[in-house]
């Protein structure tokens, strides 16, 4: 009831605010509605333009959680006073507990490739739990690694033929997300020792023709004024 009352009160506030604003030209708004798909999907429309369109069309988005259905409820307040409710299913955790490796197995396979801090991140990502059901920290990883007699990460002894995905992205001049996209497409050779663990990339693969063409395609899709675009590279919805 509190959620409904809050939403109703917010809708009333928005309606009162809309009444004080200049009237919307209905004809022009309908014309924009007909032209919006063409403008949005046009090859020349970059993310900056889409962001501006969203700011024009959307006044506010109110997000709430429906625990009964495990959904995120978005109330979109459009220009002109209309409201739309959108429900998005929330990601359920713990759906595949049997697929998670044991912490001992993961440590034996990953130790030596990564520092304890990154091992803790990987163990948490793979949903491995400590003996008392807590999440992993750098200290807990070090303590278990020492109990198992597993040596720690030594940068001097690290395999120089393999680098992390982040370092590979830096050398290629692209972001980590783009490098991962190339890896998932099979363009950039990369592997994970265990699902959820960090990616390892062969250094020699960075100079391959396929990787070079893939990187060129990513760079070609960047806006002409890349530096000015950095702030707007993510579409931001008002109110979120």
């Amino acid at each position: 009831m509190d959620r409904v009352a809050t939403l109703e009160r917010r809708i009333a506030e928005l309606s009162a605010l809309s009444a004080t604003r200049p009237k919307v030209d209905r004809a022009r708004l309908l014309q924009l509605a007909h032209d919006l798909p063409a403008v949005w999907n046009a090859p020349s429309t970059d993310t900056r333009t889409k962001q501006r369109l969203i700011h024009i069309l959307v006044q506010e988005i109110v997000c709430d959680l429906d625990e009964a259905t495990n959904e995120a409820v978005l109330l979109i307040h459009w220009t002109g006073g209309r409201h739309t409710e959108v429900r998005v299913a929330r990601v359920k955790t713990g759906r595949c507990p049997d697929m998670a490796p044991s912490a001992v197995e993961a440590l034996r396979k990953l130790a030596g490739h990564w520092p304890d801090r990154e091992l803790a991140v990987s163990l948490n990502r793979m949903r491995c739990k400590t003996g008392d059901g807590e999440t992993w920290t750098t200290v807990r990883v070090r303590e278990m690694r020492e109990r198992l007699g597993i040596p720690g990460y030594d940068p001097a002894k690290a395999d120089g033929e393999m680098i992390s995905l982040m370092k590979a992205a830096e050398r290629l001049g692209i972001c980590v997300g783009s490098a991962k996209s190339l890896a998932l497409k099979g363009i950039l050779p990369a592997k994970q020792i265990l699902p959820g663990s960090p990616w390892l990339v062969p250094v020699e693969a960075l100079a391959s023709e396929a990787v070079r063409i893939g990187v060129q395609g990513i760079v070609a899709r960047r806006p002409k004024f890349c530096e000015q675009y950095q702030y707007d590279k993510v579409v931001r919805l008002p109110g979120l």
Side-chain angles (χ1 to χ4, degrees):
M1 294 299 294
D2 292 340
R3 179 172 64 87
V4 175
T6 301
L7 290 176
E8 290 179 347
R9 183 171 63 255
R10 189 57 179 159
I11 291 174
E13 293 174 354
L14 292 173
S15 298
L17 181 62
S18 298
T20 62
R21 293 177 177 174
K23 293 184 178 180
V24 177
D25 189 329
R26 180 177 177 80
R28 294 188 63 183
L29 190 61
L30 290 175
Q31 183 64 38
L32 175 60
H34 289 296
D35 294 342
L36 182 59
V39 174
W40 188 273
N41 297 316
S44 58
T45 302
D46 57 12
T47 309
R48 186 184 184 91
T49 302
K50 292 180 179 180
Q51 182 188 27
R52 291 177 176 176
L53 286 172
I54 291 174
H55 277 286
I56 292 173
L57 298 175
V58 179
Q59 294 294 330
E60 185 178 45
I61 297 179
V62 179
C63 180
D64 197 7
L65 300 179
D66 189 337
E67 299 294 346
T69 60
N70 196 38
E71 294 177 319
V73 183
L74 304 177
L75 182 64
I76 304 175
H77 174 217
W78 300 94
T79 298
R82 294 281 185 174
H83 298 84
T84 302
E85 182 182 284
V86 178
R87 289 178 170 266
V88 181
R90 299 169 64 191
V91 176
K92 295 181 180 180
T93 59
R95 289 174 292 181
C96 304
D98 295 337
M99 297 180 61
S102 67
V104 174
E105 176 190 357
L107 276 179
R108 290 191 186 281
K109 291 184 177 181
L110 299 178
H113 294 283
W114 311 100
D116 291 343
R117 180 179 178 277
E118 296 188 36
L119 288 177
V121 174
S122 297
L123 290 174
N124 290 324
R125 186 184 298 119
M126 291 185 287
R127 306 192 187 284
C128 297
K129 293 294 184 180
T130 63
D132 53 1
E134 299 294 332
T135 56
W136 288 96
T137 63
T138 303
V139 174
R140 288 172 178 158
V141 169
R142 185 180 68 248
E143 290 176 348
M144 174 168 277
R145 181 177 51 75
E146 291 175 349
R147 285 201 304 270
L148 295 173
I150 301 175
Y153 174 74
D154 185 354
K157 297 181 180 180
D159 186 358
E161 297 181 357
M162 305 291 288
I163 58 176
S164 67
L165 191 64
M166 180 177 293
K167 291 184 179 179
E170 292 176 355
R171 295 192 184 186
L172 294 173
I174 57 178
C175 68
V176 177
S178 296
K180 184 177 181 180
S181 177
L182 293 178
L184 294 175
K185 293 177 181 178
I187 298 175
L188 177 64
K191 68 175 183 178
Q192 291 175 294
I193 299 176
L194 289 172
S197 64
W199 293 80
L200 289 172
V201 181
V203 176
E204 61 180 10
L206 303 182
S208 69
E209 182 69 12
V211 172
R212 185 182 64 81
I213 294 174
V215 172
Q216 286 180 348
I218 292 172
V219 174
R221 292 193 294 270
R222 289 175 177 172
K224 295 181 179 179
F225 303 99
C226 186
E227 293 183 359
Q228 297 179 8
Y229 182 74
Q230 292 303 310
Y231 178 76
D232 301 304
K233 62 183 177 182
V234 176
V235 176
R236 299 174 177 84
L237 295 177
L240 292 183

